[in-house]
Amino acid sequence: MKFNALPLKGAYTIDLDKREDERGFFARYWCKEEFSKMGLDLTIAQINNSMSRQRGTLRGLHFQRPPKSETKIVRCIYGAIWDVIVDIRANSPTFGKWYSKELNENNRTMMYIPKGFAHGYLTLSDNAIVNYKVDNYYNKDSEHGINYNDSSLDIKWMLNKSQIIINQKDLIYPEFK
């Protein structure tokens, strides 16, 4: 695995180190030892899967409040998504900053999202399937979010607002500030 530090402290993209031959390739996308060498101690508590039927589906920006915060590893295993993370750690030098990257079935890139980040994504294809590995159990009482269209964040979502499909719960999340 190839860990690429992002401009938001503690966050990474991870690319596969593929071993290829005429049959295709083999690659690890999880290795506790390799994560530990990067200082990323992660015990996986849940593996979640999400499927969005239509291009333009937006999920997020979500997070769980402490003490139920989650570290996540996100990978798009079918189709394509525009993955977005926002640093919501008040004492962080990158507080309020965001980062985005296309994750898709061809680049196989993963996003490592530490505790203290909000996360969301926009599907760039129909039938996008996303896999999440998380280090904490979902807790409904800790669930929260930020409005995806917050003007103070000014996130570039890759599609026009008129092309976005979003549920009511995500629409009514408060502004970041």
Side-chain angles (χ1 to χ4, degrees):
M1 289 179 283
K2 300 170 189 170
F3 292 81
N4 309 295
L6 300 181
L8 306 180
K9 187 168 176 51
Y12 294 84
T13 57
I14 304 165
D15 293 309
L16 301 182
D17 187 11
K18 298 186 284 188
R19 312 258 191 262
E20 296 188 68
D21 64 22
E22 66 280 354
R23 302 167 294 170
F25 74 87
F26 174 87
R28 280 187 294 213
Y29 71 98
W30 168 252
C31 177
K32 184 172 179 61
E33 184 177 84
E34 288 189 46
F35 274 76
S36 292
K37 284 179 187 175
M38 293 298 299
L40 308 174
D41 238 351
L42 182 67
T43 300
I44 295 172
Q46 286 183 189
I47 299 176
N48 304 318
N49 203 47
S50 170
M51 194 279 288
S52 299
R53 287 185 183 91
Q54 290 183 280
R55 177 181 186 265
T57 300
L58 195 144
R59 296 178 182 265
L61 297 162
H62 302 142
F63 63 93
Q64 289 207 163
R65 294 184 192 128
K68 301 296 184 179
S69 300
E70 297 173 318
T71 297
K72 300 176 184 177
I73 301 170
V74 176
R75 180 176 180 214
C76 182
I77 60 173
Y78 184 82
I81 64 170
W82 188 248
D83 205 43
V84 176
I85 59 175
V86 179
D87 188 347
I88 60 172
R89 303 170 295 180
N91 60 349
S92 170
T94 56
F95 176 71
K97 304 292 185 209
W98 59 273
Y99 177 85
S100 60
K101 181 167 181 70
E102 182 174 335
L103 308 181
N104 62 56
E105 65 184 276
N106 295 317
N107 69 19
R108 296 175 181 88
T109 297
M110 298 179 284
M111 184 87 74
Y112 175 88
I113 309 162
K115 289 173 173 46
F117 279 73
H119 172 252
Y121 65 88
L122 177 69
T123 60
L124 302 176
S125 67
D126 290 341
N127 301 311
I129 299 175
V130 178
N131 179 272
Y132 302 74
K133 291 166 188 56
V134 294
D135 73 340
N136 209 344
Y137 300 103
Y138 169 75
N139 181 283
K140 184 170 177 39
D141 295 333
S142 298
E143 179 182 12
H144 200 54
I146 300 167
N147 189 288
Y148 84 99
N149 201 31
D150 185 314
S151 60
S152 71
L153 295 174
D154 194 29
I155 296 171
K156 307 299 183 222
W157 283 104
M158 299 297 289
L159 294 178
N160 295 326
K161 191 175 176 181
S162 64
Q163 297 172 290
I164 292 176
I165 302 160
I166 188 167
N167 72 9
Q168 189 60 36
K169 183 175 95 174
D170 287 352
L171 271 177
I172 62 172
Y173 279 130
E175 299 276 314
F176 178 67
K177 299 286 182 190

